[in-house]
Amino acid sequence: MPARILIAKPGLDGHDRGAKVVARALRDAGFEVVFTGIRQRVEDIVAIALQEDVAVVGLSILSGAHLALTGRTVEALRAADAADMTVIVGGTIPAADVPRLREAGAAAVFPTGTALDDLVAEVRALTAAPPATTG
């Protein structure tokens, strides 16, 4: 069964072309993708993630509010007892903010210009089932 991924556009950012390209690339790679549309509240993103039982919450942020929105999303997932959902972030992200996003709870960060093949490979690695143990 393919991993389910939510691609969300939090905040007031009204540009969704990049998010749609990422959603299509992930879908074409065999993932099941849910797209929220633009201008979503963090609370709504978390509610959709829970309802859709996704493995990954992907935030597409071009507004410059990536640090605040990522932190709020991770905290809201924890508060909803969904800390096991992986959060990834993409968009207009300065290199200096990548470590800060990881500290905030992002498992992967994809700045504008990341090759789609690299993004797909990273998401595959993040959603791979752990190897079975024999005992």
Side-chain angles (χ1 to χ4, degrees), residues 33-73:
V33 179
V34 178
F35 180 64
T36 66
I38 60 173
R39 298 187 181 102
Q40 298 295 308
R41 295 178 330 130
V42 167
E43 297 79 11
D44 295 331
I45 292 168
V46 170
I48 294 166
L50 292 168
Q51 180 181 359
E52 295 291 338
D53 192 27
V54 299
V56 175
V57 175
L59 303 176
S60 172
I61 307 170
L62 302 175
S63 66
H66 46 274
L67 293 169
L69 290 169
T70 300
R72 286 181 46 215
T73 302

Side-chain angles (χ1 to χ4, degrees), residues 2-13:
R4 293 174 62 92
I5 301 171
L6 178 69
I7 300 296
K9 293 289 300 174
L12 299 177
D13 181 4

Side-chain angles (χ1 to χ4, degrees), residues 20-124:
K20 287 179 177 177
V21 168
V22 167
R24 178 168 294 178
L26 291 168
R27 183 203 64 195
D28 290 351
F31 294 98
E32 189 172 337
V33 179
V34 178
F35 180 64
T36 66
I38 60 173
R39 298 187 181 102
Q40 298 295 308
R41 295 178 330 130
V42 167
E43 297 79 11
D44 295 331
I45 292 168
V46 170
I48 294 166
L50 292 168
Q51 180 181 359
E52 295 291 338
D53 192 27
V54 299
V56 175
V57 175
L59 303 176
S60 172
I61 307 170
L62 302 175
S63 66
H66 46 274
L67 293 169
L69 290 169
T70 300
R72 286 181 46 215
T73 302
V74 169
E75 288 304 315
L77 286 168
R78 287 180 185 150
D81 215 15
D84 60 327
M85 289 183 183
T86 300
V87 175
I88 60 175
V89 185
T92 308
I93 299 167
D97 286 347
V98 172
R100 294 172 68 192
L101 287 166
R102 289 190 176 273
E103 288 171 13
V109 181
F110 305 101
T112 302
T114 300
L116 291 175
D117 288 343
D118 294 342
L119 182 139
V120 168
E122 182 72 19
V123 173
R124 272 204 179 103

